[in-house]
């Protein structure tokens, strides 16, 4: 795996960033802990990327006053978020998962417990913490029905990992049942819910309604479709749906606000070329000035990061990206703001997406024609549009409480 990782770095920017970030990681961690708060116990949280970081935040903030906090992470995408986070004593990339690296980390951090977020579980870390009798806990744990961990080839290996995990806090009964297939002790699996519900709900409450977030916002007179965290695969379907709508009346031709998953200069150039090809008028958010008039703009390309939650507040309808690419992104955020949610067919990674679908707070589409049909249906029935949004928000509210339940278990090991 290590050799493959370095070979892949030749053609993948994110992997190169990850390798660079892991240089001298033990020295960086040691230096940070020398300046850290002098508290008796340390909680070590590990997560893969931004979504998993959001799940541990409420727990970190609940115990921060009494416990030192050490964070490790895998993906470069989360590094800027961690750097700006206040409730942390030390934070570094997780070194490559070897027995020696795991032992060095344990000796430097000396944790009271190790908490994994969701599913980014590393075998050598688990085996070494078990050897030193350090509790390991999974919070907001999820294991979808199609997971390769449950396959006949991999199951015995993952059993050898999960049987050493002290406690699995699963997001649902179905996930708990699947964890029990990997865990010989049934009392090591409990259902506590998903801690992200609190996080996204509080964020939704903090967004001021009817506030002008960017120049020209007040000139958006047509319905607003906001597409969040999109990839090229998502955009292909979206733009084709927009073209179908353009052939109907102006009433069904919404402004599309396109929030790219990674708005690099290459991606901006790529999407602008495609919009020109399709004869869709467009502007970039960074180009707007105080006199901007967006009345005749079909697509606004958001070429900055960190404002998606605020933008969702403006939407009549939302589309969540990743769902035509490989795995859907955060569907809870727009739902918490009572916005109807659209996504593509790839949602096996998101239990909450299937819940929204089941309750009628969202629609799954497989083609651009289906997307155009749903948009027309919703935009033609304002009462239904509002009710769909209300159902989503109510679902979020009904699932609050996971932080409190998880803390009850976590504090036993603090």
């Amino acid at each position: 795996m290590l050799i493959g990782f370095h070979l892949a770095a030749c053609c993948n920017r994110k992997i190169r960033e990850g390798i660079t970030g892991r240089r001298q990681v033990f020295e960086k961690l040691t230096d940070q802990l020398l300046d850290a708060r002098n508290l008796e116990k340390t909680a070590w949280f590990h997560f893969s990327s931004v979504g998993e970081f959001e799940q541990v935040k409420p727990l970190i903030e609940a115990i921060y006053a009494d416990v030192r906090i050490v964070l490790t992470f895998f993906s470069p995408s989360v590094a800027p978020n961690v750097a700006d986070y206040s409730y942390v004593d030390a934070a570094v990339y997780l070194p490559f998962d070897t027995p020696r690296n795991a032992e060095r980390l344990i000796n430097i951090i000396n944790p009271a417990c190790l908490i994994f977020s969701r599913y980014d579980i590393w075998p050598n870390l688990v085996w070494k913490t078990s050897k030193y009798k350090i509790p390991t806990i999974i919070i907001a744990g999820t294991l979808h029905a199609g997971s390769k961990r449950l396959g006949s080839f991999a199951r015995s290996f993952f059993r050898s990992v999960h049987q050493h995990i002290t406690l699995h806090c699963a997001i649902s009964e179905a996930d708990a049942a699947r964890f029990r297939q990997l865990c010989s002790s049934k009392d090591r699996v409990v259902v506590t819910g998903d801690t992200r519900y609190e996080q996204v709900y509080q964020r939704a409450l903090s967004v001021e309604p009817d506030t002008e977030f960017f120049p020209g916002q007040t000139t958006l007179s047509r319905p607003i479709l906001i597409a969040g965290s999109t990839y090229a695969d998502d955009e292909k379907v979206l733009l084709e749906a927009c073209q179908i709508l353009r052939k109907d009346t102006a009433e069904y031709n919404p402004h599309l606000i396109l929030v790219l998953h990674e708005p690099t200069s290459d991606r901006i150039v790529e999407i602008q070329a495609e919009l020109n090809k399709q004869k869709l008028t467009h502007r970039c958010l960074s180009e707007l000035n105080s006199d901007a008039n967006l009345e005749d703009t079909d697509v606004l390309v958001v070429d900055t990061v960190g404002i998606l939650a605020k933008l969702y507040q403006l939407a009549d309808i939302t589309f969540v990206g990743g769902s035509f690419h490989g795995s859907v992104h955060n569907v809870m955020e727009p739902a918490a703001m009572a916005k109807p949610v659209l996504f593509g067919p790839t949602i096996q990674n998101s239990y909450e997406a299937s819940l929204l679908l089941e309750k009628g707070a969202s629609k799954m589409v497989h083609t651009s024609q289906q997307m155009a049909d749903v948009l027309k249906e919703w935009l033609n029935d304002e009462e239904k549009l509002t009710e769909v949004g209300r159902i989503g928000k109510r679902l979020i509210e009904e699932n609050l409480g996971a932080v409190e339940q998880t803390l009850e278990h976590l504090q036993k090991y603090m």
Side-chain angles (χ1 to χ4, degrees):
M1 285 179 69
L2 189 61
I3 293 168
F5 205 69
H6 280 82
L7 289 173
C10 298
C11 53
N12 188 299
R13 176 185 56 83
K14 287 185 73 172
I15 293 177
R16 286 196 298 274
E17 287 179 19
I19 291 174
T20 302
R22 285 172 171 81
R23 290 174 185 161
Q24 298 184 312
V25 70
F26 296 106
E27 292 80 1
K28 292 173 186 174
L29 181 58
T30 301
D31 290 344
Q32 289 179 50
L33 287 174
L34 285 173
D35 297 328
R37 295 172 302 150
N38 186 20
L39 295 171
E40 183 183 352
K41 292 189 176 182
T42 299
W44 174 7
F45 289 84
H46 173 73
F47 43 89
S48 175
S49 193
V50 177
E52 293 75 39
F53 184 28
E54 291 299 316
Q55 286 172 308
V56 298
K57 277 182 178 179
L59 302 174
I60 292 170
E61 290 161 22
I63 65 174
Y64 176 76
D66 303 312
V67 183
R68 285 207 304 184
I69 303 295
V70 173
L71 309 181
T72 57
F73 53 91
F74 185 83
S75 173
S77 64
V78 78
N81 303 63
V82 170
D84 293 335
Y85 191 54
S86 302
Y87 299 91
V88 59
D89 293 281
V92 293
Y93 279 90
L94 183 75
F96 295 111
D97 188 49
T98 66
R100 182 170 179 269
N101 284 348
E103 189 137 9
R104 287 184 72 184
L105 279 174
I106 290 167
N107 289 330
I108 293 170
I109 298 171
N110 188 26
C113 64
L114 168 59
I115 301 104
F116 291 105
S117 178
R118 202 171 188 188
Y119 47 56
D120 199 47
I121 301 156
W122 291 94
N124 284 301
L125 279 185
V126 173
W127 292 327
K128 286 296 180 181
T129 50
S130 177
K131 173 187 171 183
Y132 286 99
K133 300 190 182 333
I134 297 166
T136 52
I137 303 159
I138 300 172
I139 65 99
T142 181
L143 192 63
H144 63 80
S147 173
K148 291 182 174 62
R149 300 183 192 202
L150 299 173
S152 55
F153 178 76
R155 187 180 299 185
S156 61
F157 171 76
F158 283 103
R159 277 179 177 162
S160 75
V161 177
H162 283 264
Q163 69 181 2
H164 292 287
I165 293 174
T166 311
L167 187 68
H168 302 71
C169 295
I171 66 171
S172 72
E173 289 289 354
D175 289 277
R178 288 187 282 270
F179 276 123
R180 290 186 186 106
Q181 295 180 46
L182 301 176
C183 182
S184 55
S185 178
K186 306 259 185 202
D187 60 358
R188 291 190 179 191
V189 182
V190 295
V191 178
T192 55
D194 192 339
T195 54
R196 274 191 305 167
Y197 283 101
E198 270 88 350
Q199 196 76 357
V200 298
Y201 189 68
Q202 291 303 319
R203 185 182 298 139
L205 292 179
S206 69
V207 175
E208 291 291 335
D210 302 321
T211 301
E212 189 172 347
F213 295 129
F214 58 85
Q217 175 189 317
T218 54
T219 63
L220 293 170
S221 59
R222 288 179 269 149
I224 298 173
L225 168 61
I226 292 185
S229 297
T230 63
Y231 297 83
D233 300 331
D234 303 308
E235 290 147 17
K236 182 177 185 297
V237 179
L238 272 165
L239 297 180
E240 286 176 1
C242 288
Q243 293 289 30
I244 293 169
L245 291 172
R246 286 182 81 191
K247 294 173 184 175
D248 289 300
T249 63
E251 181 183 1
Y252 299 128
N253 185 18
H255 292 288
L256 172 61
I257 298 181
L258 198 55
V259 187
L260 309 184
H261 177 60
E262 289 187 337
T264 61
S265 55
D266 288 345
R267 281 284 286 122
I268 298 296
V269 169
E270 178 187 31
I271 192 62
Q272 286 177 326
E274 184 59 32
L275 292 170
N276 287 332
K277 180 180 174 183
Q278 298 204 24
K279 296 183 171 55
L280 290 167
T281 58
H282 59 89
R283 298 177 75 174
C284 284
L285 181 61
S286 62
E287 299 170 352
L288 303 184
N289 55 38
S290 57
D291 298 324
N293 187 331
L294 300 175
E295 171 62 27
D296 296 322
T297 301
D298 294 314
V299 183
L300 178 65
V301 179
V302 177
D303 52 352
T304 186
V305 296
I307 63 169
L308 180 55
K310 290 182 177 181
L311 288 171
Y312 276 143
Q313 186 65 51
L314 307 177
D316 293 290
I317 299 172
T318 65
F319 169 82
V320 180
S323 49
F324 283 97
H325 177 74
S327 56
V328 70
H329 286 280
N330 186 355
V331 298
M332 296 163 69
E333 209 157 50
M337 297 182 184
K339 304 299 180 180
V341 182
L342 278 172
F343 42 70
T346 315
I347 65 166
Q348 75 281 348
N349 63 301
S350 175
Y351 173 66
E352 53 274 14
S354 61
L355 276 181
L356 289 171
L357 199 58
E358 179 186 323
K359 298 293 184 182
S362 65
K363 289 265 192 176
M364 178 189 287
V365 295
H366 295 79
T367 65
S368 53
Q369 183 63 60
Q370 285 182 359
M371 184 180 291
D373 291 342
V374 172
L375 289 171
K376 282 192 281 188
E377 176 193 342
W378 280 352
L379 292 173
N380 195 38
D381 190 340
E382 189 173 336
E383 189 175 323
K384 183 172 185 178
L385 193 65
T386 302
E387 180 56 24
V388 168
R390 283 179 184 156
I391 294 170
K393 184 175 182 180
R394 192 158 57 241
L395 178 65
I396 300 296
E397 291 171 339
E398 288 170 354
N399 281 276
L400 298 176
V403 171
E404 185 178 341
Q405 292 185 57
T406 306
L407 277 173
E408 285 181 16
H409 292 284
L410 187 59
Q411 286 171 340
K412 296 173 188 175
Y413 303 99
M414 283 287 94

